[in-house]
Amino acid sequence: MVIWCRLMGSNNFIADINPDSMEMETIMESRPSDSINISKKNSTAPQNIYHQIFAGSWNVGGVSPPEVLDIQEWLRPNHINPPANIYVLGFQEIVPLNAANIVVRSENRKICEKWNSLIRAALNDPDPKNNITQDFRCIISKQMVGIFLSVWVRSDLCQYIRELSVSCVGCGLMGCLWNKGSVSVRFWLHETSFCFVCSHLASGGKEGDQRRRNANAAEILSRTTFPPGPFPNFTTKILDHDRVIWLGDLNYRIYLPDATTQYLVEKQKWNLLLEYDQLKVELMEGHVFEGWHEGVINFAPSYKYYKNSELYFGCDEKRKHNKRRAPAWCDRIIWFGKGLKQNQYDRGELKLSDHRPVRAIFMAEIKVLRDPRGLQSILSDRIICLPNHFEECFNDKYSCKWRSNFHY
């Protein structure tokens, strides 16, 4: 069954797949796949393939991106072909976190369009070496005040995605407002379930603030719920999924005096600093994210910079400050579950905000069930999404149905 999907009444669900451009019977053979098939003994038995996933996070500090902003440096380091088949991009503070935006749970259509336009241009720009154009489609986007999560998939994989849904949790002021919290997306790719969580946790550099961040993370894990599926024990919670990646401004700081932190950052003593990193310590002591993993950090702290500068806040003697903000690895990417191998973990150098973007590339193991002819995955349904971002589905040409309910 093919499902034409659009979330009615929402101005920030995005479907970026044009059915007119896809021939369903031949699309699987339309281009070579970058995945690796490691089992060919029995075409009816489960087989494992691998796809690379790019996860990126950036706190953009409430700054609207200029139209000329080039984010290829972040998404395509060294201007190589897109290094992944799936891109999961999380942003924080895409709008200023003022009272008006927080209380009414503001959703800004234009700012989401801007970011997705920049992502589309970066991913689908021709490879300068061989002039081959990639074809990535946005399968879903969701904004919750300042948090924005956008998922892009190589077009020939879109037919194998199903049970796509989103869940939002607010855990900010008074434990319920939307200045902090998470946007989570889940889907199945072939026979493997994925969940991606983009969060912005409690801020603050005082002793004890890490406990508020821990509480936010626990609340997101307990309150995030996805619609039940057609099978018993279907994945409804974050940790029910086979592969889980959590990214965002987790806001964990460093347990050292500010002056000591700044000195060690200048000397690039990352290993020594990481011994006092709050997230590392809280993980080690079992206070948060039990069973989760993070790759080795070999890059400078992503926070806090002067905007459009390479200087950390407080390091410019010509500028006076009422507050001191020591550098910290606020922006992180962690994962849970087997079948994920991290191949890269570093940061970009975009200077739009007081944070630098971070990125991680994973190799993900995916189970595929093939029919006796070995032609395609045995799926209960396939998702083909309508074009025209942020527009309501009033075109009688298409049937407009959405199988999964969205949970907020």
Side-chain angles (χ1 to χ4, degrees):
M1 174 170 56
V2 177
I3 298 174
W4 307 102
C5 65
R6 188 78 179 177
L7 182 61
M8 296 292 291
S10 170
N11 66 1
N12 53 22
F13 173 79
I14 300 175
D16 192 31
I17 303 171
N18 188 338
D20 290 340
S21 67
M22 303 178 70
E23 305 223 354
M24 294 308 303
E25 299 304 321
T26 61
I27 189 169
M28 185 179 177
E29 304 300 330
S30 64
R31 56 175 292 173
S33 173
D34 293 339
S35 61
I36 304 170
N37 190 338
I38 62 172
S39 174
K40 294 186 178 179
K41 294 181 179 179
N42 187 341
S43 63
T44 62
Q47 302 182 17
N48 292 332
I49 63 174
Y50 292 87
H51 283 296
Q52 290 205 117
I53 298 174
F54 181 108
S57 177
W58 191 13
N59 184 322
V60 296
V63 180
S64 179
E67 293 183 2
V68 296
L69 181 66
D70 185 359
I71 61 173
Q72 282 202 12
E73 184 274 332
W74 176 34
L75 305 186
R76 294 174 61 177
N78 300 320
H79 294 280
I80 61 174
N81 276 332
N85 310 122
I86 299 170
Y87 276 77
V88 181
L89 303 175
F91 299 83
Q92 305 81 45
E93 296 190 46
I94 66 164
V95 296
L97 298 184
N98 54 42
N101 285 332
I102 293 168
V103 171
V104 302
R105 192 177 161 186
S106 173
E107 294 183 348
N108 190 313
R109 166 178 173 167
K110 289 185 178 180
I111 198 72
C112 295
E113 286 178 329
K114 278 188 174 183
W115 281 113
N116 275 319
S117 178
L118 291 170
I119 295 167
R120 183 181 301 106
L123 294 183
N124 293 329
D125 190 50
D127 176 9
K129 294 181 180 179
N130 53 30
N131 203 35
I132 296 176
T133 301
Q134 301 292 326
D135 187 13
F136 282 85
R137 311 292 179 89
C138 180
I139 62 168
I140 193 168
S141 263
K142 178 62 186 173
Q143 178 195 6
M144 185 191 76
V145 189
I147 301 172
F148 179 55
L149 184 60
S150 188
V151 181
W152 296 70
V153 176
R154 206 180 64 196
S155 61
D156 59 312
L157 297 182
C158 292
Q159 62 177 321
Y160 304 116
I161 291 177
R162 57 192 171 97
E163 303 300 336
L164 178 68
S165 58
V166 64
S167 177
C168 300
V169 172
C171 53
L173 297 173
M174 298 180 289
C176 60
L177 293 184
W178 306 92
N179 61 311
K180 296 294 189 290
S182 65
V183 174
S184 302
V185 165
R186 78 94 183 269
F187 58 80
W188 286 65
L189 175 57
H190 291 289
E191 310 306 318
T192 299
S193 60
F194 288 85
C195 182
F196 302 97
V197 183
C198 175
S199 73
H200 193 182
L201 306 186
S203 60
K206 300 189 298 293
E207 178 63 32
D209 285 339
Q210 74 277 10
R211 289 191 287 274
R212 295 194 297 126
R213 295 185 263 278
N214 295 351
N216 286 171
E219 190 172 0
I220 290 167
L221 285 167
S222 65
R223 289 177 52 200
T224 299
T225 305
F226 298 101
F231 309 113
N233 302 318
F234 198 77
T235 51
T236 60
K237 307 293 288 184
I238 290 173
L239 297 183
D240 292 338
H241 295 81
D242 299 317
R243 319 278 185 259
V244 186
I245 297 175
W246 188 314
L247 51 96
D249 182 356
L250 307 190
N251 251 322
Y252 288 95
R253 309 302 171 89
I254 295 172
Y255 286 120
L256 287 172
D258 290 356
T260 304
T261 298
Q262 289 181 337
Y263 172 79
L264 293 174
V265 168
E266 290 176 7
K267 300 299 181 182
Q268 299 187 11
K269 301 293 186 180
W270 310 143
N271 289 338
L272 182 56
L273 279 166
L274 285 166
E275 292 180 15
Y276 299 91
D277 173 75
Q278 285 183 348
L279 180 56
K280 296 288 188 187
V281 172
E282 296 298 294
L283 274 167
M284 189 182 308
E285 295 181 355
H287 297 158
V288 70
F289 293 119
E290 183 177 358
W292 291 72
H293 309 280
E294 184 180 30
V296 176
I297 293 178
N298 286 319
F299 53 90
S302 58
Y303 173 86
K304 172 180 174 72
Y305 286 89
Y306 294 110
K307 294 179 182 178
N308 298 308
S309 168
E310 295 184 358
L311 291 175
Y312 284 105
F313 194 84
C315 294
D316 188 347
E317 297 179 357
K318 297 179 181 179
R319 308 190 197 192
K320 295 182 179 180
H321 310 283
N322 295 326
K323 298 180 179 179
R324 288 182 64 86
R325 300 284 178 85
W329 286 281
C330 291
D331 308 281
R332 311 291 275 267
I333 301 172
I334 59 178
W335 75 91
F336 182 88
K338 299 179 180 179
L340 286 172
K341 180 183 178 182
Q342 190 181 80
N343 295 328
Q344 181 174 337
Y345 189 25
D346 60 2
R347 64 176 230 178
E349 297 303 327
L350 296 168
K351 302 178 178 65
L352 182 72
S353 79
D354 54 353
H355 290 249
R356 294 291 190 266
V358 295
R359 62 191 167 212
I361 298 176
F362 296 88
M363 185 68 79
E365 181 180 337
I366 298 161
K367 182 186 294 185
V368 177
L369 296 180
R370 297 186 181 275
D371 67 14
R373 294 170 299 170
L375 292 179
Q376 64 181 39
S377 175
I378 301 174
L379 302 178
S380 62
D381 51 50
R382 295 179 293 181
I383 291 180
I384 305 300
C385 302
L386 295 181
N388 302 326
H389 311 309
F390 304 103
E391 296 180 3
E392 300 299 331
C393 184
F394 297 128
N395 190 339
D396 292 336
K397 180 179 178 181
Y398 301 116
S399 170
C400 184
K401 300 178 182 179
W402 178 240
R403 189 172 188 276
S404 298
N405 296 319
F406 278 58
H407 175 78
Y408 301 99

